[in-house]
Amino acid sequence: MKNKPVNTDGAAVVSVSSVVGKKEYDGPLGEKFDVHDETDRFGQKTFELSESEMQREAMSLTLGKAGLSAADIGAVFAGDLLNQCVGSAYGLIEYDVPYFGLYGACSTAAEGLTLAAMLTSKGIYDRCMSVTSSHNASAERQYRNPLEYGGQRPPTAQWTVTGSGAYLVEGGYGKNSAEHSDGLSPMAYITEVMPGIVVQKGVTDLTNMGAAMAPAAVESLLGYFDSTGTGPDDFDLIITGDLGFEGTSILREILAVSGKDPGDRLTDCGMLIYDRYGQDVHSGGSGCGCSSVVLAAHFLPMLKSGELNDVLFLGTGAMSSPAATRQGQVIPGVAHLLRLMSPAAYERGAKR
Amino acid sequence: MKNKPVNTDGAAVVSVSSVVGKKEYDGPLGEKFDVHDETDRFGQKTFELSESEMQREAMSLTLGKAGLSAADIGAVFAGDLLNQCVGSAYGLIEYDVPYFGLYGACSTAAEGLTLAAMLTSKGIYDRCMSVTSSHNASAERQYRNPLEYGGQRPPTAQWTVTGSGAYLVEGGYGKNSAEHSDGLSPMAYITEVMPGIVVQKGVTDLTNMGAAMAPAAVESLLGYFDSTGTGPDDFDLIITGDLGFEGTSILREILAVSGKDPGDRLTDCGMLIYDRYGQDVHSGGSGCGCSSVVLAAHFLPMLKSGELNDVLFLGTGAMSSPAATRQGQVIPGVAHLLRLMSPAAYERGAKR
């Protein structure tokens, strides 16, 4: 099957929250995040538990903003970068909500949003949540070296974001009713989703996730353009998850030679979250938390206000495994694509 | 929300396959599995790649039995026990099918079947697959000790199954049409699914997965009985994934004191796959591959023939993490429940 988008009419993101660490708060988007902790610890003894606590807080905040409780949620899609996804398993254990554990590396927020949109759009559940996280200290310890080791980072390396984003997706939004029967209003409609295909192009460098993920973004983006007859000019922005500066330059080059030069419509959550020169992050941010908190705190409010009207969001993930890399395996990538529309644009479209 | 089942009318399992290692072939169900390898290697250099190769073969076989190719599949749900789920990422990389990575520990086959049933039931996709695996050598190395170490196993320990099962789930099966427009016939209908809630009851023993998972099975099973007004006597069998002898005895005891004594209707894939006394497996089989190959090779043919007509299948998982356990954390469990009906019983029900 040539990959093609799935219509998810009626599904909308209605509440989000973002919880981050100190470096993310100190970055250019810092003031937009709901909660931060100067110590990156969130009151916990280990970095792994700190990550779980971020998820717990993010889910709680998202529910609170919507005036809902866990009992109102049909299912939660959750994942993180830790082995056995324990950031999620422990973070969400106090919520009695049916739990789907996901592993999509840094694409997990998009994977969860994709499934949430599919299920709520068809009324299988009224409301689903997607909750994901990463923590710089827990990820570096597991994937590369403990921070105390002080390993030197090459220019292509990205900085794993300490952060967790939680999204509440609700179905039943008709074309002419911006407000739901429960009184909630959409921040953005998820009109289409296109889950990605796993691709690899021979990258084996654990310190160059951008290069491993860029081919997956190419596959999903060109596949979407092709199957819908659209191009970069049809969208306000094309937002990738965490290709960083290195991966984005690769994506940009391949799109240009494919006749789909995105110009300045292409942006990346990993390039936005830190001050490239002031914060020593080399190729930018990465991790399940990266796209999750930037989409929640930066782009979704712009969609809600109508500052953005029609965007493509691609959650990018590198299924990077230290054990597999030591065995000489390449790093597979995947990119899940979602089309997000502002309430204003969605309703205008409905009236055409 | 009190957990309750989701109707997935119209979804059916139409093709399955099972690929196993030597010990599984030597067990009581050995002749039922499609493929086995006496060396557990499947022609590969590492055990991790052997696991991937099992997934590749299982997916290929399931497609072949149905006369379909990867291009006919809308999406695949895949997962395994390896860190970063690389058994699946590498195993399925050659198939150009939209890929949802799952992590549900040993419950992953049920998690994938649940999502496949939901999505095909509502026509979001015509066909989805669920592909999962585990390998004794790769799992023991990662979770406990390399096999060469010869660590002593306590009586509660289970034996990780070397195996992979692949399921093809198709939607569009009406109440009075046992054959689909594409000529495929259901092996069993998935009439309801109830994804599980994460629960823990204080178990921290990495060598007693049964005890960690049994409370989750209780939660899902009693929840299902409660919300549907049914009990054990309403089903031919209640099949758990891999509680093993230890976990099953715990489940049986809790059900009995809850007034839902299942008698001899309760069985467990982990108890069936090996000869308890002849194969030195202590508490039975476990792993993503366990319930996956036993359901595919043993129970689904019995449903297709009408030897079984109406069963509950609970994929049980312990989100057991060596790192978390070293930090003193408990082991969370989850159990995803599916109701499976034979074609004959389903059609009889439709005529009532």
Side-chain angles (χ1 to χ4, degrees):
Chain A
M1 177 182 291
K2 215 161 107 180
N3 200 354
K4 58 187 183 198
V6 172
N7 184 297
T8 51
D9 245 354
V13 182
V14 294
S15 179
V16 297
S17 70
S18 51
V19 175
V20 299
K22 173 170 169 40
K23 197 177 184 90
E24 294 68 31
Y25 178 70
D26 290 343
L29 308 179
E31 295 290 340
K32 299 186 175 191
F33 301 120
D34 292 305
V35 172
H36 74 282
D37 183 321
E38 290 283 327
T39 70
D40 288 0
R41 287 281 193 172
F42 296 88
Q44 303 298 313
K45 280 191 299 184
T46 72
F47 290 123
E48 287 76 12
L49 287 176
S50 308
E51 184 168 344
S52 290
E53 175 62 14
M54 287 195 295
Q55 283 211 15
R56 197 193 64 74
E57 289 185 19
M59 178 148 171
S60 171
L61 263 171
T62 297
L63 287 169
K65 287 184 187 183
L68 298 172
S69 74
D72 300 308
I73 306 302
V76 60
F77 295 92
D80 56 86
L81 296 179
L82 295 177
N83 291 341
Q84 292 81 47
C85 302
V86 288
S88 308
Y90 294 115
L92 306 183
I93 198 165
E94 72 174 53
Y95 300 105
D96 284 344
V97 179
Y99 177 93
F100 289 98
L102 304 182
Y103 180 76
C106 308
S107 74
T108 310
E111 185 182 353
L113 280 171
T114 296
L115 287 164
M118 285 176 166
L119 297 189
T120 58
S121 151
K122 299 296 181 206
I124 296 174
Y125 287 116
D126 294 335
R127 302 185 195 93
C128 288
M129 289 188 70
S130 168
V131 187
T132 53
S133 66
S134 53
H135 193 295
N136 185 268
S138 64
E140 289 303 314
R141 171 153 73 194
Q142 179 184 287
Y143 285 98
R144 296 172 196 92
N145 299 298
L147 297 178
E148 296 86 342
Y149 176 74
Q152 199 171 5
R153 305 171 65 246
T156 55
Q158 291 175 247
W159 190 275
T160 305
V161 165
T162 298
S164 172
Y167 298 75
L168 175 54
V169 177
E170 190 170 56
Y173 285 90
K175 289 255 180 198
N176 294 302
S177 59
E179 192 170 295
H180 199 272
S181 58
D182 61 12
L184 293 172
S185 301
M187 299 182 74
Y189 290 86
I190 304 175
T191 62
E192 286 178 319
V193 296
M194 195 175 92
I197 288 167
V198 180
V199 295
Q200 65 83 12
K201 297 292 177 189
V203 175
T204 56
D205 182 355
L206 274 177
T207 61
N208 192 348
M209 294 294 107
M213 293 187 280
V218 170
E219 169 85 21
S220 294
L221 197 50
L222 292 183
Y224 182 81
F225 288 154
D226 191 40
S227 69
T228 57
T230 57
D233 295 347
D234 293 309
F235 302 96
D236 296 333
L237 275 183
I238 297 161
I239 305 161
T240 50
D242 58 345
L243 297 180
F245 293 97
E246 176 75 7
T248 300
S249 75
I250 296 170
L251 172 60
R252 188 179 290 283
E253 198 173 322
I254 301 176
L255 289 178
V257 300
S258 307
K260 300 283 183 185
D261 189 344
D264 57 9
R265 288 171 199 272
L266 181 65
T267 188
D268 180 76
C269 301
M271 301 196 318
L272 295 172
I273 192 167
Y274 300 119
D275 174 349
R276 183 177 190 180
Y277 302 104
Q279 289 190 293
D280 188 27
V281 292
H282 297 26
S283 190
S286 70
C288 291
C290 179
S291 61
S292 184
V293 300
V294 174
L295 180 65
H298 182 58
F299 289 116
L300 278 168
M302 291 168 78
L303 281 157
K304 184 170 191 182
S305 73
E307 190 177 343
L308 290 174
N309 282 304
D310 194 352
V311 306
L312 297 181
F313 170 69
L314 288 98
T316 45
M319 266 91 80
S320 157
S321 155
T325 306
R326 281 195 294 269
Q327 293 180 0
Q329 298 299 303
V330 300
I331 301 171
V334 70
H336 301 297
L337 179 150
L338 296 97
R339 183 171 181 173
L340 302 171
M341 291 182 74
S342 69
Y346 185 80
E347 285 146 33
R348 272 199 307 277
K351 290 193 184 107
R352 261 192 235 130
Chain B
M1 178 182 291
K2 213 160 106 178
N3 200 356
K4 57 186 183 198
V6 172
N7 183 299
T8 51
D9 243 355
V13 181
V14 294
S15 179
V16 298
S17 71
S18 50
V19 175
V20 300
K22 173 170 169 40
K23 197 177 185 94
E24 293 69 30
Y25 178 70
D26 290 342
L29 308 179
E31 295 290 339
K32 300 187 176 194
F33 302 119
D34 293 303
V35 173
H36 74 281
D37 183 321
E38 289 283 326
T39 70
D40 287 1
R41 287 280 193 171
F42 296 88
Q44 303 297 312
K45 282 190 300 185
T46 71
F47 290 123
E48 287 76 11
L49 287 175
S50 308
E51 182 167 345
S52 291
E53 176 61 14
M54 287 195 296
Q55 283 211 14
R56 196 192 65 74
E57 289 184 21
M59 178 149 170
S60 172
L61 264 170
T62 297
L63 286 169
K65 287 185 187 181
L68 298 173
S69 74
D72 300 310
I73 305 304
V76 60
F77 296 93
D80 55 86
L81 296 179
L82 295 177
N83 291 340
Q84 292 81 49
C85 301
V86 288
S88 308
Y90 293 115
L92 306 182
I93 198 165
E94 72 175 52
Y95 300 105
D96 285 344
V97 179
Y99 177 94
F100 288 98
L102 304 183
Y103 180 76
C106 308
S107 75
T108 310
E111 185 183 352
L113 280 171
T114 297
L115 287 165
M118 285 177 167
L119 297 190
T120 58
S121 150
K122 298 297 179 203
I124 296 174
Y125 287 114
D126 294 335
R127 302 184 195 94
C128 288
M129 290 188 68
S130 168
V131 187
T132 52
S133 66
S134 54
H135 193 296
N136 184 269
S138 64
E140 289 303 313
R141 173 153 72 193
Q142 180 184 284
Y143 285 99
R144 296 169 197 94
N145 299 300
L147 297 178
E148 296 86 341
Y149 177 75
Q152 200 171 5
R153 306 170 65 246
T156 56
Q158 292 174 250
W159 190 275
T160 305
V161 165
T162 298
S164 172
Y167 298 76
L168 175 53
V169 178
E170 190 169 56
Y173 284 91
K175 289 254 179 199
N176 293 303
S177 60
E179 191 169 295
H180 199 270
S181 57
D182 61 12
L184 293 171
S185 300
M187 299 182 75
Y189 290 86
I190 304 175
T191 62
E192 286 178 318
V193 296
M194 194 175 92
I197 288 167
V198 179
V199 295
Q200 66 83 12
K201 297 290 178 190
V203 175
T204 56
D205 182 356
L206 275 177
T207 61
N208 192 348
M209 295 293 108
M213 294 187 282
V218 170
E219 169 85 21
S220 294
L221 198 51
L222 292 183
Y224 182 82
F225 289 153
D226 190 41
S227 68
T228 57
T230 57
D233 295 346
D234 293 308
F235 302 95
D236 296 333
L237 276 182
I238 296 161
I239 305 161
T240 50
D242 58 347
L243 297 180
F245 294 96
E246 176 75 8
T248 300
S249 75
I250 297 170
L251 172 61
R252 188 178 291 283
E253 197 174 322
I254 301 177
L255 289 178
V257 299
S258 306
K260 300 284 181 184
D261 189 344
D264 56 10
R265 290 171 196 271
L266 181 64
T267 187
D268 179 76
C269 301
M271 300 195 319
L272 296 172
I273 191 167
Y274 300 119
D275 174 350
R276 184 177 190 181
Y277 301 104
Q279 290 190 294
D280 187 28
V281 293
H282 297 24
S283 189
S286 70
C288 291
C290 179
S291 60
S292 184
V293 300
V294 174
L295 181 65
H298 182 58
F299 290 115
L300 278 168
M302 291 169 77
L303 281 157
K304 186 171 189 180
S305 73
E307 190 176 343
L308 290 174
N309 282 306
D310 193 351
V311 305
L312 297 181
F313 170 69
L314 288 96
T316 44
M319 266 91 83
S320 156
S321 155
T325 305
R326 281 196 294 269
Q327 294 180 0
Q329 298 299 302
V330 299
I331 301 172
V334 70
H336 301 299
L337 180 150
L338 296 94
R339 182 170 182 174
L340 302 170
M341 291 182 75
S342 70
Y346 186 79
E347 285 145 34
R348 272 200 305 277
K351 292 194 185 107
R352 256 189 240 131

